[in-house]
Amino acid sequence: MGTCCSPECCTVEELRIMRWKAKIDDASGCISLQRIVSTFSRLCRSRTAKIKLTPDKIFLIHTADAIDGPGVQIWNEISQASLFKVFKIESQHANNEILLVINMEQFSRALKSTITASNVTFRLSKRDGTAYLSLVIGMKTITGAVRPVTQEVPITILSSDDVDTTKPPDLPPPEINLYLPHLRVLKPVLERFKALSEVMTVKANNSGDMNLKLATTVVTVETFFKHLENAVWKDGQAPNAATDFPSDPKTFVEANILVKSFFQFIAAHQTDPGSILTGISRDNAVVLICAQPDANLTYYIPVRDDDEQA
């Protein structure tokens, strides 16, 4: 995957002055980034994803495909200050941002080489007409010296117009905000649901109740969760910030979504990441947010309407 002259790719002039250099100078930072990318790669499942570089953040971005379900979007926001000792970016974009497409399997494999590294430096490079994300990995030898090892992952750098149009879904504040039950509890429930139906209903209220339900011509299954903790939405908004928020906290709001989309989020986490916020907007999406010290993962599952369920 290299640079090209199609409308989607950056111009020769944009590429000429486009630079990014970032450095992680400790083993724990290398391990954290590898974990973030590995989880994201399992979530999106498709080979390619976008990386958006900004002066203060990195975004891993996946938009919907047939594998994950129509409309699913994943945004993983990484604060550069939490992982990188050095972070320099230069582009012709008005906000000094860069957008690229990368093979996530290749990127994840390259990052596995950094787990035992003492440091790693990232930069954009070009050779023989192909753009690369280069990783210069500082590996310790038996004598204690650090030996640089270079890994290169082919990329496509997109145009400034693509940078401007690549944004998270613009959704209203959810009507319901709760923390999910532990993933080890949810996973067997969703495994059973996945074997029975394509569509499920998520019902919840702001009194801490959540029900997961499916109904077919043969069977109806419903699982109940009680005493879940209320949450503040990601922008600091209280649950009642939604204009059509139910006045009674015991009133249920429900949304129909694909079982496989919800299950994919649960299955991708090999360890329990801790508290996961779920927001339900009955006409838009079920949004799952996993907040970690070094990254915030947001997973958008679109609501299915009646026609789609037919």
Side-chain angles (χ1 to χ4, degrees), residues 176-263:
I176 304 296
N177 297 320
L178 292 174
Y179 285 110
L180 281 181
H182 286 295
L183 299 193
R184 64 176 180 272
V185 176
L186 280 176
K187 188 174 181 179
V189 173
L190 293 174
E191 283 179 333
R192 184 184 182 195
F193 276 26
K194 191 161 64 80
L196 295 173
S197 176
E198 291 187 356
V199 179
M200 62 181 286
T201 300
V202 181
K203 298 172 55 178
N205 61 30
N206 282 310
S207 288
D209 302 313
M210 177 180 286
N211 303 346
L212 305 180
K213 179 181 179 179
L214 67 81
T216 70
T217 56
V218 177
V219 66
T220 297
V221 180
E222 189 164 9
T223 301
F224 303 87
F225 299 96
K226 302 289 186 180
H227 310 298
L228 301 178
E229 185 179 350
N230 286 105
V232 174
W233 188 235
K234 62 178 179 178
D235 298 321
Q237 298 168 322
N240 59 6
T243 55
D244 55 352
F245 175 77
S247 57
D248 182 356
K250 294 185 178 181
T251 299
F252 278 88
V253 169
E254 64 180 59
N256 298 308
I257 60 174
L258 286 177
V259 179
K260 70 175 182 180
S261 298
F262 199 173
F263 178 78

Coordinates of all heavy atoms in Angstrom, one line a residue, residues 176-263:
I176 N -29.7 7.3 28.6 CA -29.4 6.5 29.7 C -27.9 6.3 29.7 O -27.2 6.1 28.7 CB -30.0 5.1 29.5 CG1 -31.5 5.1 29.4 CG2 -29.6 4.2 30.7 CD1 -32.2 5.7 30.6
N177 N -27.3 6.5 30.9 CA -25.8 6.3 31.1 C -25.6 5.4 32.3 O -25.9 5.7 33.4 CB -25.1 7.6 31.4 CG -25.2 8.6 30.2 OD1 -25.1 8.2 29.1 ND2 -25.5 9.9 30.5
L178 N -25.1 4.2 32.0 CA -24.8 3.3 33.1 C -23.4 2.6 32.8 O -23.0 2.6 31.7 CB -25.8 2.2 33.2 CG -27.3 2.5 33.6 CD1 -28.2 1.3 33.4 CD2 -27.3 3.0 35.0
Y179 N -22.8 2.1 33.9 CA -21.6 1.3 33.7 C -22.1 -0.2 33.5 O -23.0 -0.7 34.2 CB -20.7 1.3 35.0 CG -19.9 2.6 35.1 CD1 -20.2 3.6 36.0 CD2 -18.9 2.9 34.2 CE1 -19.5 4.8 36.1 CE2 -18.2 4.1 34.2 CZ -18.5 5.0 35.2 OH -17.8 6.2 35.3
L180 N -21.5 -0.8 32.5 CA -21.8 -2.2 32.2 C -21.4 -3.1 33.3 O -20.5 -2.9 34.1 CB -21.0 -2.6 30.9 CG -21.5 -2.2 29.5 CD1 -20.6 -2.8 28.5 CD2 -23.0 -2.6 29.3
P181 N -22.1 -4.3 33.4 CA -21.6 -5.4 34.2 C -20.3 -5.8 33.8 O -19.8 -5.5 32.7 CB -22.7 -6.5 34.0 CG -23.9 -5.8 33.4 CD -23.4 -4.6 32.7
H182 N -19.6 -6.6 34.6 CA -18.2 -7.1 34.2 C -18.3 -7.9 33.0 O -19.3 -8.6 32.7 CB -17.6 -7.9 35.4 CG -17.2 -7.1 36.5 ND1 -16.1 -6.2 36.5 CD2 -17.6 -7.1 37.8 CE1 -15.9 -5.6 37.7 NE2 -16.8 -6.1 38.5
L183 N -17.3 -7.8 32.1 CA -17.3 -8.5 30.9 C -17.3 -10.0 31.0 O -17.9 -10.7 30.2 CB -16.0 -8.1 30.0 CG -15.9 -6.6 29.7 CD1 -14.8 -6.4 28.6 CD2 -17.2 -6.0 29.2
R184 N -16.7 -10.5 32.1 CA -16.8 -12.0 32.3 C -18.2 -12.5 32.6 O -18.5 -13.6 32.4 CB -15.8 -12.3 33.5 CG -16.3 -11.8 34.8 CD -15.3 -12.3 35.9 NE -15.7 -11.7 37.3 CZ -15.3 -10.6 37.8 NH1 -14.4 -9.9 37.1 NH2 -15.7 -10.2 38.9
V185 N -19.1 -11.5 33.0 CA -20.5 -11.9 33.2 C -21.2 -11.8 31.9 O -22.1 -12.6 31.6 CB -21.1 -11.0 34.3 CG1 -22.6 -11.3 34.4 CG2 -20.4 -11.2 35.6
L186 N -20.9 -10.7 31.1 CA -21.6 -10.5 29.9 C -21.3 -11.5 28.8 O -22.2 -11.8 28.0 CB -21.3 -9.1 29.4 CG -22.1 -7.9 30.0 CD1 -21.5 -6.6 29.5 CD2 -23.6 -8.0 29.8
K187 N -20.1 -11.9 28.7 CA -19.6 -12.7 27.6 C -20.4 -14.0 27.4 O -20.9 -14.2 26.3 CB -18.1 -13.0 27.7 CG -17.6 -13.7 26.5 CD -16.1 -13.9 26.5 CE -15.5 -14.5 25.3 NZ -14.0 -14.7 25.3
P188 N -20.6 -14.8 28.4 CA -21.4 -16.0 28.2 C -22.9 -15.7 27.8 O -23.5 -16.5 27.1 CB -21.4 -16.8 29.5 CG -20.9 -15.7 30.5 CD -20.1 -14.8 29.8
V189 N -23.4 -14.6 28.3 CA -24.8 -14.2 27.9 C -24.9 -13.9 26.4 O -25.7 -14.4 25.7 CB -25.3 -13.0 28.7 CG1 -26.6 -12.5 28.2 CG2 -25.3 -13.3 30.2
L190 N -23.9 -13.1 25.9 CA -23.9 -12.8 24.5 C -23.5 -13.9 23.6 O -24.0 -14.0 22.5 CB -23.0 -11.6 24.3 CG -23.4 -10.3 25.0 CD1 -22.4 -9.2 24.9 CD2 -24.7 -9.8 24.4
E191 N -22.7 -14.8 24.1 CA -22.4 -16.0 23.3 C -23.7 -16.8 23.1 O -23.9 -17.3 22.0 CB -21.4 -16.9 24.1 CG -20.0 -16.4 24.0 CD -19.0 -17.2 24.7 OE1 -19.4 -17.9 25.7 OE2 -17.8 -17.2 24.3
R192 N -24.5 -16.9 24.1 CA -25.8 -17.6 23.9 C -26.7 -16.9 23.0 O -27.3 -17.5 22.1 CB -26.5 -17.8 25.3 CG -27.7 -18.7 25.2 CD -28.4 -18.8 26.5 NE -29.6 -19.6 26.5 CZ -30.6 -19.6 27.4 NH1 -30.5 -18.9 28.5 NH2 -31.6 -20.4 27.2
F193 N -26.8 -15.6 23.1 CA -27.6 -14.7 22.3 C -27.2 -14.9 20.8 O -28.0 -15.0 19.9 CB -27.6 -13.3 22.7 CG -28.5 -12.9 23.8 CD1 -28.9 -13.8 24.8 CD2 -28.9 -11.6 24.0 CE1 -29.7 -13.5 25.8 CE2 -29.8 -11.2 25.0 CZ -30.2 -12.2 25.9
K194 N -25.9 -14.9 20.6 CA -25.4 -14.9 19.2 C -25.8 -16.2 18.5 O -26.0 -16.2 17.3 CB -23.9 -14.8 19.3 CG -23.2 -14.6 17.9 CD -21.8 -14.0 18.1 CE -20.9 -15.0 18.8 NZ -20.3 -16.0 17.9
A195 N -26.0 -17.3 19.3 CA -26.4 -18.5 18.7 C -27.8 -18.6 18.4 O -28.3 -19.5 17.6 CB -26.0 -19.7 19.6
L196 N -28.6 -17.7 18.9 CA -30.1 -17.7 18.8 C -30.7 -16.7 17.8 O -31.7 -16.9 17.2 CB -30.7 -17.6 20.2 CG -30.4 -18.6 21.2 CD1 -31.0 -18.2 22.6 CD2 -31.0 -20.0 20.8
S197 N -30.0 -15.5 17.7 CA -30.6 -14.5 16.9 C -29.6 -13.5 16.5 O -28.5 -13.4 17.0 CB -31.7 -13.7 17.8 OG -32.2 -12.6 17.1
E198 N -29.9 -12.7 15.4 CA -29.0 -11.7 14.9 C -29.2 -10.4 15.7 O -28.3 -9.6 15.8 CB -29.2 -11.4 13.4 CG -28.8 -12.6 12.5 CD -28.9 -12.2 11.1 OE1 -29.4 -11.1 10.8 OE2 -28.5 -13.1 10.3
V199 N -30.4 -10.1 16.1 CA -30.8 -8.8 16.7 C -31.2 -9.0 18.2 O -31.8 -10.0 18.6 CB -31.9 -8.2 16.0 CG1 -32.3 -6.8 16.6 CG2 -31.6 -7.9 14.5
M200 N -30.7 -8.1 19.0 CA -31.1 -8.1 20.5 C -31.6 -6.7 20.9 O -31.4 -5.7 20.2 CB -29.9 -8.5 21.3 CG -28.7 -7.5 21.2 SD -27.3 -8.0 22.2 CE -27.9 -7.6 23.9
T201 N -32.2 -6.7 22.0 CA -32.7 -5.4 22.6 C -32.0 -5.1 23.9 O -31.9 -6.0 24.8 CB -34.2 -5.5 22.9 OG1 -34.9 -5.8 21.7 CG2 -34.7 -4.2 23.5
V202 N -31.4 -3.9 24.0 CA -30.8 -3.4 25.2 C -31.8 -2.5 25.8 O -32.2 -1.5 25.3 CB -29.5 -2.7 24.9 CG1 -28.9 -2.3 26.2 CG2 -28.5 -3.6 24.2
K203 N -32.2 -2.8 27.1 CA -33.2 -2.0 27.8 C -32.5 -1.5 29.1 O -31.9 -2.3 29.8 CB -34.5 -2.7 28.1 CG -35.3 -3.2 27.0 CD -36.4 -4.1 27.4 CE -37.3 -3.5 28.4 NZ -38.4 -4.4 28.8
A204 N -32.7 -0.2 29.5 CA -32.0 0.2 30.7 C -32.7 1.5 31.2 O -33.5 2.1 30.4 CB -30.6 0.5 30.5
N205 N -32.5 1.8 32.5 CA -33.0 3.0 33.0 C -32.0 3.6 33.9 O -30.9 3.0 34.1 CB -34.3 2.8 33.8 CG -34.2 1.8 35.0 OD1 -33.1 1.8 35.6 ND2 -35.2 1.1 35.4
N206 N -32.2 4.8 34.4 CA -31.2 5.5 35.2 C -31.4 5.2 36.7 O -30.9 5.9 37.6 CB -31.3 7.0 35.0 CG -30.5 7.3 33.7 OD1 -29.4 6.9 33.4 ND2 -31.2 8.0 32.8
S207 N -32.1 4.1 37.0 CA -32.1 3.5 38.4 C -31.2 2.3 38.5 O -31.2 1.6 39.5 CB -33.5 3.1 38.8 OG -34.3 4.3 39.0
G208 N -30.4 2.1 37.5 CA -29.4 1.0 37.6 C -29.8 -0.3 37.1 O -29.2 -1.4 37.4
D209 N -30.9 -0.4 36.3 CA -31.4 -1.6 35.8 C -31.1 -1.7 34.3 O -31.2 -0.8 33.5 CB -33.0 -1.7 35.9 CG -33.4 -1.6 37.4 OD1 -32.8 -2.3 38.2 OD2 -34.3 -0.8 37.6
M210 N -30.7 -2.9 33.9 CA -30.4 -3.2 32.5 C -30.9 -4.6 32.1 O -30.5 -5.5 32.8 CB -28.9 -3.0 32.1 CG -28.6 -3.4 30.7 SD -26.8 -3.2 30.3 CE -26.7 -1.4 30.2
N211 N -31.6 -4.7 31.0 CA -32.1 -6.0 30.5 C -31.6 -6.2 29.1 O -31.6 -5.3 28.3 CB -33.6 -6.1 30.5 CG -34.2 -5.8 31.9 OD1 -33.5 -5.8 32.9 ND2 -35.5 -5.5 31.9
L212 N -31.1 -7.4 28.9 CA -30.7 -7.8 27.5 C -31.7 -8.9 27.1 O -31.9 -9.9 27.8 CB -29.3 -8.4 27.5 CG -28.2 -7.5 28.1 CD1 -26.9 -8.2 28.0 CD2 -28.2 -6.1 27.3
K213 N -32.3 -8.6 25.9 CA -33.5 -9.5 25.5 C -33.4 -9.8 24.0 O -32.9 -9.0 23.2 CB -34.8 -8.8 25.8 CG -36.0 -9.6 25.4 CD -37.3 -8.8 25.7 CE -38.5 -9.6 25.3 NZ -39.8 -8.8 25.6
L214 N -33.8 -11.0 23.7 CA -34.0 -11.4 22.3 C -35.3 -12.2 22.2 O -35.7 -12.9 23.1 CB -32.8 -12.2 21.7 CG -32.5 -13.6 22.2 CD1 -33.4 -14.7 21.6 CD2 -31.0 -13.9 21.9
A215 N -35.9 -12.1 21.0 CA -37.2 -12.8 20.8 C -37.2 -13.3 19.4 O -37.0 -12.5 18.4 CB -38.4 -11.9 21.1
T216 N -37.5 -14.6 19.2 CA -37.6 -15.2 17.9 C -39.0 -15.9 17.9 O -39.7 -15.9 18.8 CB -36.5 -16.2 17.6 OG1 -36.7 -17.3 18.4 CG2 -35.1 -15.6 17.9
T217 N -39.3 -16.5 16.7 CA -40.6 -17.2 16.6 C -40.6 -18.4 17.5 O -41.6 -19.0 17.8 CB -40.8 -17.6 15.2 OG1 -39.7 -18.3 14.7 CG2 -41.0 -16.4 14.3
V218 N -39.3 -18.9 17.9 CA -39.2 -20.1 18.7 C -39.0 -19.8 20.2 O -39.5 -20.5 21.1 CB -38.0 -20.9 18.2 CG1 -37.8 -22.2 19.0 CG2 -38.3 -21.3 16.7
V219 N -38.2 -18.8 20.5 CA -37.8 -18.6 21.9 C -37.7 -17.1 22.2 O -37.4 -16.3 21.4 CB -36.5 -19.3 22.2 CG1 -35.4 -18.7 21.4 CG2 -36.1 -19.4 23.7
T220 N -37.9 -16.8 23.5 CA -37.7 -15.5 24.1 C -36.8 -15.6 25.3 O -37.0 -16.4 26.2 CB -39.0 -14.8 24.5 OG1 -39.8 -14.6 23.3 CG2 -38.6 -13.4 25.1
V221 N -35.6 -14.9 25.3 CA -34.7 -15.0 26.3 C -34.4 -13.5 26.8 O -34.2 -12.6 26.1 CB -33.3 -15.6 25.9 CG1 -32.3 -15.7 27.0 CG2 -33.6 -17.0 25.3
E222 N -34.4 -13.4 28.2 CA -34.1 -12.1 28.7 C -33.3 -12.2 30.0 O -33.5 -13.1 30.8 CB -35.4 -11.3 29.1 CG -35.2 -9.9 29.5 CD -36.5 -9.1 29.4 OE1 -37.6 -9.7 29.3 OE2 -36.4 -7.8 29.6
T223 N -32.2 -11.4 30.1 CA -31.3 -11.5 31.2 C -31.4 -10.1 31.9 O -31.4 -9.1 31.3 CB -29.8 -11.7 30.7 OG1 -29.8 -13.0 30.1 CG2 -28.9 -11.8 31.9
F224 N -31.4 -10.1 33.3 CA -31.6 -8.9 34.0 C -30.4 -8.6 34.9 O -29.8 -9.5 35.5 CB -32.8 -9.1 35.0 CG -34.1 -9.4 34.3 CD1 -34.4 -10.8 34.0 CD2 -35.0 -8.5 33.9 CE1 -35.6 -11.1 33.4 CE2 -36.2 -8.8 33.2 CZ -36.5 -10.1 33.0
F225 N -30.0 -7.3 34.9 CA -28.9 -6.8 35.7 C -29.5 -5.7 36.6 O -30.2 -4.8 36.1 CB -27.8 -6.3 34.9 CG -27.1 -7.4 34.0 CD1 -27.5 -7.5 32.7 CD2 -26.2 -8.3 34.5 CE1 -26.9 -8.5 31.9 CE2 -25.6 -9.2 33.7 CZ -26.0 -9.3 32.4
K226 N -29.1 -5.8 37.9 CA -29.6 -4.8 38.8 C -28.5 -4.0 39.5 O -27.4 -4.5 39.5 CB -30.5 -5.5 39.9 CG -31.7 -6.3 39.4 CD -32.8 -5.4 38.9 CE -34.0 -6.2 38.5 NZ -35.1 -5.4 38.0
H227 N -28.8 -2.9 40.0 CA -27.9 -2.1 40.8 C -26.6 -1.7 40.1 O -25.5 -1.6 40.7 CB -27.5 -2.9 42.1 CG -28.7 -3.4 42.9 ND1 -29.7 -2.6 43.4 CD2 -29.1 -4.7 43.1 CE1 -30.6 -3.3 44.0 NE2 -30.3 -4.6 43.8
L228 N -26.8 -1.4 38.8 CA -25.6 -0.9 38.1 C -25.4 0.6 38.4 O -26.4 1.3 38.8 CB -25.8 -1.0 36.6 CG -26.0 -2.5 36.1 CD1 -26.3 -2.5 34.6 CD2 -24.8 -3.3 36.4
E229 N -24.2 1.0 38.3 CA -23.9 2.4 38.7 C -24.1 3.4 37.6 O -23.8 3.2 36.5 CB -22.4 2.5 39.1 CG -22.0 3.8 39.7 CD -20.5 3.8 40.1 OE1 -19.9 2.7 40.1 OE2 -20.0 4.9 40.3
N230 N -24.8 4.5 38.0 CA -25.0 5.6 37.0 C -23.6 6.3 36.7 O -22.7 6.2 37.5 CB -25.9 6.6 37.6 CG -27.4 6.2 37.5 OD1 -27.9 5.8 38.6 ND2 -28.0 6.1 36.4
A231 N -23.6 6.8 35.5 CA -22.3 7.4 35.1 C -22.5 8.8 34.5 O -23.6 9.2 34.1 CB -21.7 6.5 34.0
V232 N -21.5 9.6 34.5 CA -21.5 10.9 33.8 C -21.0 10.7 32.4 O -20.0 9.9 32.2 CB -20.6 11.9 34.6 CG1 -20.5 13.2 33.8 CG2 -21.2 12.2 36.0
W233 N -21.6 11.3 31.4 CA -21.3 11.1 30.0 C -19.9 11.6 29.8 O -19.3 12.4 30.6 CB -22.3 11.7 29.1 CG -22.1 11.4 27.7 CD1 -22.0 12.3 26.7 CD2 -22.1 10.1 27.1 NE1 -21.9 11.7 25.5 CE2 -21.9 10.3 25.7 CE3 -22.1 8.8 27.6 CZ2 -21.8 9.3 24.8 CZ3 -22.0 7.8 26.7 CH2 -21.9 8.0 25.3
K234 N -19.3 11.2 28.7 CA -17.8 11.5 28.4 C -17.5 13.0 28.4 O -16.4 13.4 28.6 CB -17.4 10.8 27.1 CG -18.1 11.3 25.9 CD -17.6 10.6 24.6 CE -18.4 11.1 23.4 NZ -17.8 10.5 22.2
D235 N -18.5 13.8 28.0 CA -18.2 15.3 28.0 C -18.6 16.0 29.3 O -18.7 17.2 29.3 CB -19.0 15.9 26.8 CG -18.6 15.3 25.5 OD1 -17.4 15.1 25.3 OD2 -19.5 15.1 24.6
G236 N -18.7 15.2 30.3 CA -19.0 15.8 31.6 C -20.5 16.1 31.8 O -20.9 16.7 32.8
Q237 N -21.3 15.6 30.9 CA -22.8 15.9 31.0 C -23.4 14.9 31.9 O -23.2 13.7 31.8 CB -23.4 15.9 29.6 CG -22.8 16.9 28.7 CD -23.3 16.7 27.2 OE1 -23.3 15.5 26.8 NE2 -23.5 17.7 26.5
A238 N -24.4 15.3 32.7 CA -25.2 14.4 33.5 C -26.2 13.7 32.6 O -26.5 14.2 31.5 CB -25.9 15.2 34.6
P239 N -26.7 12.6 33.1 CA -27.6 11.8 32.2 C -28.8 12.6 31.8 O -29.3 12.5 30.7 CB -28.1 10.7 33.1 CG -26.9 10.5 34.0 CD -26.4 11.8 34.3
N240 N -29.3 13.6 32.6 CA -30.5 14.3 32.2 C -30.2 15.5 31.3 O -31.1 16.3 31.1 CB -31.3 14.8 33.5 CG -30.4 15.7 34.3 OD1 -29.3 16.1 33.9 ND2 -30.9 16.1 35.5
A241 N -29.0 15.5 30.7 CA -28.7 16.5 29.7 C -29.5 16.3 28.4 O -29.7 17.3 27.7 CB -27.2 16.5 29.4
A242 N -29.9 15.1 28.2 CA -30.7 14.8 27.0 C -32.1 15.5 27.1 O -32.8 15.4 28.1 CB -30.9 13.3 26.8
T243 N -32.5 16.2 26.0 CA -33.8 16.9 26.1 C -35.0 16.0 26.3 O -36.0 16.4 26.9 CB -33.9 17.8 24.8 OG1 -33.8 16.9 23.7 CG2 -32.8 18.8 24.7
D244 N -34.9 14.8 25.7 CA -36.0 13.9 25.9 C -35.8 12.8 26.9 O -36.3 11.7 26.9 CB -36.4 13.3 24.5 CG -35.2 12.6 23.9 OD1 -34.1 12.7 24.4 OD2 -35.4 11.9 22.9
F245 N -34.9 13.1 27.9 CA -34.6 12.2 28.9 C -35.9 11.9 29.8 O -36.6 12.8 30.1 CB -33.5 12.8 29.8 CG -33.2 12.0 31.1 CD1 -32.4 10.9 31.0 CD2 -33.7 12.4 32.3 CE1 -32.1 10.1 32.1 CE2 -33.4 11.6 33.4 CZ -32.6 10.5 33.3
P246 N -36.1 10.6 30.1 CA -37.3 10.3 30.9 C -37.3 11.0 32.2 O -36.3 10.9 32.9 CB -37.2 8.7 31.0 CG -36.3 8.3 29.9 CD -35.3 9.4 29.7
S247 N -38.4 11.6 32.6 CA -38.5 12.3 33.9 C -38.4 11.3 35.1 O -37.9 11.7 36.1 CB -39.7 13.1 34.0 OG -40.9 12.3 33.8
D248 N -38.9 10.1 34.9 CA -38.8 9.1 35.9 C -37.6 8.2 35.7 O -37.5 7.6 34.7 CB -40.1 8.2 35.9 CG -40.2 7.2 37.0 OD1 -39.2 7.1 37.7 OD2 -41.2 6.5 37.0
P249 N -36.7 8.2 36.7 CA -35.4 7.4 36.5 C -35.7 5.9 36.3 O -34.8 5.2 35.9 CB -34.6 7.7 37.7 CG -35.6 8.2 38.7 CD -36.7 8.9 38.0
K250 N -36.9 5.4 36.7 CA -37.2 4.0 36.5 C -37.8 3.7 35.1 O -38.0 2.5 34.8 CB -38.2 3.6 37.6 CG -37.6 3.6 39.0 CD -38.6 3.1 40.0 CE -38.0 3.1 41.4 NZ -38.9 2.6 42.4
T251 N -38.0 4.7 34.3 CA -38.5 4.5 33.0 C -37.4 3.9 32.1 O -36.3 4.4 32.0 CB -39.0 5.8 32.3 OG1 -40.0 6.4 33.1 CG2 -39.5 5.6 30.9
F252 N -37.7 2.8 31.4 CA -36.8 2.1 30.5 C -36.7 2.8 29.1 O -37.7 3.2 28.6 CB -37.2 0.7 30.4 CG -36.7 -0.2 31.5 CD1 -37.5 -0.4 32.6 CD2 -35.5 -0.9 31.4 CE1 -37.1 -1.2 33.6 CE2 -35.1 -1.7 32.5 CZ -35.9 -1.8 33.6
V253 N -35.5 2.9 28.6 CA -35.3 3.2 27.2 C -34.6 2.0 26.6 O -33.8 1.3 27.2 CB -34.3 4.4 27.2 CG1 -33.8 4.6 25.7 CG2 -35.0 5.7 27.7
E254 N -35.1 1.7 25.4 CA -34.6 0.5 24.7 C -34.1 0.8 23.3 O -34.5 1.7 22.7 CB -35.6 -0.6 24.7 CG -36.9 -0.3 23.9 CD -37.8 -1.5 23.9 OE1 -38.3 -1.9 25.0 OE2 -38.1 -2.0 22.8
A255 N -33.2 -0.1 22.9 CA -32.6 0.1 21.5 C -32.3 -1.3 21.0 O -31.8 -2.2 21.7 CB -31.3 0.9 21.5
N256 N -32.6 -1.5 19.7 CA -32.3 -2.8 19.0 C -31.0 -2.7 18.3 O -30.8 -1.8 17.5 CB -33.5 -3.2 18.1 CG -34.8 -3.4 18.8 OD1 -34.9 -4.1 19.8 ND2 -35.8 -2.6 18.4
I257 N -30.1 -3.7 18.5 CA -28.8 -3.6 17.9 C -28.5 -5.1 17.4 O -29.1 -6.0 17.8 CB -27.7 -3.1 18.8 CG1 -27.6 -4.0 20.1 CG2 -28.0 -1.7 19.2 CD1 -26.4 -3.6 21.0
L258 N -27.4 -5.2 16.6 CA -26.9 -6.5 16.2 C -26.2 -7.1 17.3 O -25.3 -6.5 18.0 CB -26.0 -6.4 15.0 CG -26.6 -6.1 13.6 CD1 -25.5 -5.9 12.6 CD2 -27.6 -7.2 13.2
V259 N -26.5 -8.4 17.6 CA -25.8 -9.1 18.7 C -24.3 -9.2 18.4 O -23.5 -9.0 19.3 CB -26.4 -10.6 18.8 CG1 -25.7 -11.3 19.9 CG2 -27.9 -10.5 19.1
K260 N -23.9 -9.5 17.1 CA -22.5 -9.7 16.8 C -21.7 -8.4 17.0 O -20.5 -8.5 17.4 CB -22.3 -10.2 15.4 CG -22.6 -9.1 14.3 CD -22.3 -9.7 12.9 CE -22.5 -8.7 11.8 NZ -22.2 -9.3 10.5
S261 N -22.3 -7.2 16.9 CA -21.6 -6.0 17.1 C -21.3 -5.8 18.6 O -20.2 -5.4 19.0 CB -22.4 -4.8 16.6 OG -22.7 -4.9 15.3
F262 N -22.3 -6.1 19.5 CA -22.0 -6.0 20.9 C -21.1 -7.1 21.4 O -20.1 -6.8 22.1 CB -23.4 -6.2 21.6 CG -23.4 -5.7 23.1 CD1 -24.6 -5.7 23.8 CD2 -22.3 -5.3 23.7 CE1 -24.7 -5.2 25.1 CE2 -22.3 -4.8 25.0 CZ -23.5 -4.8 25.7
F263 N -21.2 -8.3 20.9 CA -20.3 -9.4 21.3 C -18.9 -9.1 20.9 O -18.0 -9.5 21.6 CB -20.8 -10.7 20.6 CG -19.9 -11.9 21.0 CD1 -20.0 -12.5 22.2 CD2 -19.0 -12.4 20.1 CE1 -19.2 -13.6 22.5 CE2 -18.2 -13.4 20.4 CZ -18.3 -14.0 21.6

